[in-house]
């Protein structure tokens, strides 16, 4: 089966070469025909699991489309070549080709396709290179923002924000979160703005900037529905506990379902948050933490917290 597909691929390559030949009656190479044959060759190689040859065929296809001024099709072929590199586990090279394709999509006026390609590239590289993934998500967000597609832009910025947190680049995470929140505000997705406020507070407190955290909450009062909401009360309680060095109060908020079930990167910020000074006051008796391993005490804490939000 594989041998048959490889033979089929070589037949298409021969046809492509024939399309490029000129003669007395054919003055110009048939780049469109050559590109079409090379695309068929690439698919045949791909089906035979000959990814290196498939990648080369896609790049040849792209070359012929470029000669034919068919930029969109050229970009598609380059992206396909990138996917062949992905199948060969050569991720940095794959990402490089997908980025090249995205530039061509933008030049061709198909920015949405460029943004989606960059998002795909980010997902490919994220497991091995967080820094590069952040760069790709930011570029994708920028492409969508320029198209006034703010929902997609905000979602991609969200990916970048989370990776900044994972990288402990908290100053950049704070900037990214603010931009993200502004976009959600513009498209009037207020509940998501509330969640972004929680993320902002956690990031700022980990940065040691109580003033910035407090400001984020105060600015959010202008969002419809924020004041008095579960998110608002939780952040007021957290900031009060942090300011008063009340470890028990901070612990209760940070381990509440509201924060524990956020995106993993923010949930980790919540459970690792410590009040400044370390030896803050605790409202419960010394026996309470020892009993914390049992089921009833945590349930009580949750009930207290939920009651505080009603």
């Amino acid at each position: 089966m594989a041998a048959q597909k490889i033979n089929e691929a070589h037949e298409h390559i021969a046809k492509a070469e024939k399309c490029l030949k000129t003669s007395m009656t054919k003055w110009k190479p048939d780049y469109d025909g050559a590109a079409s044959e090379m695309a068929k060759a690439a698919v045949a190689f791909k089906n035979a699991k000959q990814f290196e040859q498939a990648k080369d065929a896609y790049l040849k296809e792209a070359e012929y489309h470029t000669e034919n001024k068919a930029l969109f099709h050229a970009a598609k072929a380059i992206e396909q070549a990138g996917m062949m590199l992905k199948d060969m586990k050569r991720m940095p090279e794959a990402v490089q080709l997908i980025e090249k394709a995205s530039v061509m999509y933008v030049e061709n006026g198909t920015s949405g396709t460029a943004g989606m390609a960059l998002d795909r590239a980010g997902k490919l590289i994220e497991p091995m290179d967080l820094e590069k993934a952040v760069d790709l998500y930011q570029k994708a967000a920028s492409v969508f923002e320029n198209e006034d597609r703010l929902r997609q832009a905000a979602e991609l910025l969200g990916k970048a924000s989370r990776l900044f947190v994972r990288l402990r680049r908290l100053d950049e995470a704070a900037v990214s979160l603010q931009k993200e929140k502004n976009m959600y505000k513009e498209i009037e997705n207020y509940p998501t703005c509330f969640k972004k406020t929680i993320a902002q507070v956690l990031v700022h407190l980990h940065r040691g900037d109580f003033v910035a955290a407090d400001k984020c909450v105060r600015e959010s009062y202008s969002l419809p529905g924020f004041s008095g909401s579960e998110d608002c009360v939780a952040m007021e309680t957290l900031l009060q506990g942090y300011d008063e060095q009340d470890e028990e109060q901070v612990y209760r908020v940070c381990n509440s379902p509201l924060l524990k079930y956020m995106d993993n990167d923010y949930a980790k910020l919540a459970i690792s948050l410590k009040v400044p000074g370390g030896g803050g006051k605790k409202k419960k008796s010394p026996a309470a933490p020892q009993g914390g391993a049992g089921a009833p005490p945590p349930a009580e804490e949750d009930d207290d917290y939920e009651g505080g939000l009603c």
Side-chain angles (χ1 to χ4, degrees):
M1 178 68 178
Q4 186 187 335
K5 287 290 174 191
I6 291 167
N7 287 337
E8 189 185 314
H10 285 295
E11 283 169 21
H12 287 302
I13 290 171
K15 287 179 184 174
E17 286 166 355
K18 195 175 176 185
C19 288
L20 297 174
K21 285 180 180 169
T22 55
S23 64
M24 293 291 287
T25 54
K26 183 185 157 200
W27 292 1
K28 287 183 177 179
D30 176 12
Y31 288 116
D32 190 40
S36 176
E37 290 298 334
M38 203 52 83
K40 290 172 188 170
V43 170
F45 279 133
K46 181 181 169 184
N47 291 338
K49 304 279 190 241
Q50 302 296 307
F51 299 128
E52 183 73 46
Q53 287 166 290
K55 181 254 305 177
D56 292 341
Y58 278 125
L59 290 176
K60 273 290 177 193
E61 180 200 346
E63 202 180 297
Y64 301 148
H65 280 310
T66 304
E67 290 286 353
N68 209 32
K69 305 286 188 286
L71 266 188
F72 180 81
H73 295 297
K76 269 282 177 208
I78 289 171
E79 192 180 349
Q80 284 298 322
M83 297 315 280
M84 294 304 96
L85 285 163
K86 180 206 86 158
D87 288 338
M88 290 186 274
K89 306 284 187 276
R90 287 155 62 181
M91 299 305 177
E93 291 171 82
V95 165
Q96 209 172 0
L97 282 185
I98 297 170
E99 274 194 276
K100 184 179 177 181
S102 75
V103 171
M104 292 172 79
Y105 286 134
V106 172
E107 286 171 5
N108 184 62
T110 45
S111 295
T113 312
M116 287 186 283
L118 289 166
D119 182 22
R120 277 195 292 275
K123 285 176 194 158
L124 286 183
I125 204 74
E126 190 178 315
M128 62 195 68
D129 188 346
L130 293 180
E131 305 264 357
K132 183 62 183 173
V134 166
D135 176 54
L136 290 163
Y137 292 141
Q138 286 183 313
K139 282 179 180 170
S142 180
V143 166
F144 282 121
E145 189 181 2
N146 290 339
E147 291 283 294
D148 279 332
R149 290 168 66 174
L150 294 186
R151 185 182 60 79
Q152 288 98 325
E155 283 171 6
L156 284 152
L157 273 179
K159 292 183 180 187
S161 302
R162 290 194 292 276
L163 293 190
F164 276 134
V165 168
R166 208 175 302 169
L167 287 161
R168 302 303 294 179
R169 286 161 61 179
L170 298 181
D171 290 355
E172 288 156 289
V175 172
S176 185
L177 273 165
Q178 185 61 53
K179 192 169 185 188
E180 210 187 318
K181 184 171 157 185
N182 290 344
M183 286 182 182
Y184 281 116
K185 184 179 177 182
E186 202 167 325
I187 60 175
E188 300 182 356
N189 183 342
Y190 301 122
T192 303
C193 289
F194 303 171
K195 301 304 175 197
K196 297 303 163 189
T197 301
I198 295 176
Q200 284 181 305
V201 167
L202 292 169
V203 166
H204 285 309
L205 292 181
H206 271 275
R207 290 174 63 242
D209 193 341
F210 178 86
V211 173
D214 186 53
K215 185 182 174 191
C216 286
V217 174
R218 282 189 287 106
E219 283 178 348
S220 295
Y221 289 137
S222 65
L223 298 169
F226 180 73
S227 187
S229 68
E230 182 185 34
D231 308 82
C232 173
V233 174
M235 289 305 95
E236 287 172 341
T237 308
L238 176 61
L239 288 173
Q240 181 194 30
Y242 190 89
D243 192 36
E244 294 174 1
Q245 298 192 352
D246 185 339
E247 287 180 340
E248 191 273 334
Q249 186 164 313
V250 168
Y251 176 88
R252 195 170 71 245
V253 178
C254 286
N255 285 271
S256 68
L258 184 68
L259 273 67
K260 275 171 79 172
Y261 299 123
M262 290 181 76
D263 286 316
N264 200 33
D265 293 298
Y266 299 123
K268 283 180 179 176
L269 284 185
I271 59 175
S272 63
L273 185 65
K274 300 283 184 282
V275 298
K281 61 181 178 179
K282 295 182 175 69
K283 289 180 184 173
K284 294 193 175 181
S285 67
Q290 292 165 13
E300 273 178 30
E301 284 191 1
D302 281 350
D303 289 347
D304 288 345
Y305 177 64
E306 283 162 15
L309 293 179
C310 290

